[in-house]
Amino acid sequence: MTHELIRAVRNGLADLADPAKAPEMQRYMKSDMPFRGVPKPARAQLARRLFAEHVITDRATWQDTVRRLWHEATYREERYLAIELTGHRMARAWQDPDTVPLYQELIVTGAWWDFVDELAIRRVGPILRNYRDELTPLMRSWARHDDLWLRRAAVICQVTAKDQTDPDLLADVIAATLHDKDFFLRKGIGWALRDYAKTEPGWVRAFVDAHPDLSPLSRREALKHL
């Protein structure tokens, strides 16, 4: 099953490839890995068809397929489809703390915002909300990790959580990364605060007021719609 699905993904992307679009997509993403030139709507349609045709029924095969698609990728779209596979309905039963090491591996090896943001918000975030006791300490440790992208994932993993946001965790992971000078961390802090401001604007205003050492970028993003 793993071999068949991987072959189908590669062949499907090759059939949809647009060599004229590929260099522009690679430049935009500042990617060392080349693109096939397949836009997101076409990738999503391909993923729906292939994952319906190649149903995976056990966690080990699913994780092995994701890892092989990811680590053996020669085009960036193969990694996008690996992420699509992590979120497919066939994998719903495996969205639990035992899967988080896989997502950590993809975040660290992906090491760029297009991969990390989807994994942090759409994969890690829901697991955090369903398994708070297990994931909250892990997010606190990620916020203090040597890896930049794990730190960003810890900061933004509650984006879209709305009233399910844990404000104590949000405050802690931001405090842990507050003085990081990296653009992606500062942007991520502002994004996380701006998103939570849609639900709790007073909390965000108070947090920003209480942290004058927030970077100008983080502060500007946090207060953008207040």
Side-chain angles (χ1 to χ4, degrees):
M1 178 62 70
T2 295
H3 296 291
E4 292 174 4
L5 178 52
I6 290 173
R7 184 166 56 248
V9 165
R10 290 171 179 164
N11 291 340
L13 289 171
D15 291 342
L16 295 170
D18 185 341
K21 290 182 179 177
E24 178 184 348
M25 293 171 72
Q26 185 175 359
R27 281 194 300 272
Y28 171 77
M29 199 52 64
K30 300 178 181 177
S31 172
D32 293 331
M33 186 179 290
F35 277 78
R36 279 289 195 185
V38 183
K40 185 174 182 177
R43 294 197 308 265
Q45 187 175 16
L46 176 66
R48 284 193 296 271
R49 177 172 64 81
L50 294 184
F51 299 160
E53 293 172 357
H54 300 82
V55 178
I56 299 173
T57 57
D58 66 278
R59 187 195 296 258
T61 301
W62 169 68
Q63 290 202 4
D64 180 57
T65 306
V66 169
R67 283 192 167 98
R68 286 198 53 195
L69 267 175
W70 185 269
H71 291 297
E72 298 175 11
T74 53
Y75 294 93
R76 203 168 186 91
E77 288 95 337
E78 293 170 47
R79 288 191 162 185
Y80 291 148
L81 261 73
I83 293 177
E84 289 276 351
L85 182 56
T86 65
H88 192 265
R89 62 179 178 273
M90 73 173 78
R92 194 171 296 155
W94 309 317
Q95 302 301 326
D96 57 36
D98 289 340
T99 293
V100 174
L102 170 64
Y103 296 151
Q104 179 171 344
E105 177 183 336
L106 302 187
I107 288 169
V108 171
T109 56
W112 201 240
W113 64 267
D114 56 334
F115 298 142
V116 172
D117 293 3
E118 182 75 8
L119 290 163
I121 296 168
R122 306 294 180 192
R123 304 294 180 267
V124 176
I127 298 175
L128 167 65
R129 293 190 286 279
N130 289 325
Y131 299 89
R132 292 193 184 276
D133 289 347
E134 295 92 333
L135 266 289
T136 298
L138 182 62
M139 292 304 100
R140 293 184 194 277
S141 70
W142 280 16
R144 294 160 174 82
H145 201 281
D146 290 341
D147 186 85
L148 159 68
W149 298 102
L150 286 178
R151 297 199 300 275
R152 178 174 166 95
V155 168
I156 67 171
C157 66
Q158 296 195 87
V159 167
T160 74
K162 300 181 180 179
D163 60 357
Q164 291 185 285
T165 299
D166 178 347
D168 291 337
L169 175 60
L170 180 61
D172 185 62
V173 296
I174 290 175
T177 56
L178 197 63
H179 300 108
D180 199 307
K181 297 185 183 303
D182 184 84
F183 169 82
F184 289 102
L185 254 299
R186 292 182 167 188
K187 188 81 169 178
I189 289 169
W191 181 15
L193 290 170
R194 185 180 75 239
D195 184 75
Y196 191 43
K198 299 173 187 176
T199 303
E200 291 288 348
W203 187 95
V204 171
R205 281 189 184 278
F207 183 88
V208 171
D209 289 344
H211 293 82
D213 46 349
L214 273 171
S215 73
L217 173 59
S218 298
R219 180 181 298 273
R220 185 167 63 249
E221 288 293 317
L223 301 177
K224 193 169 187 177
H225 300 304
L226 293 180

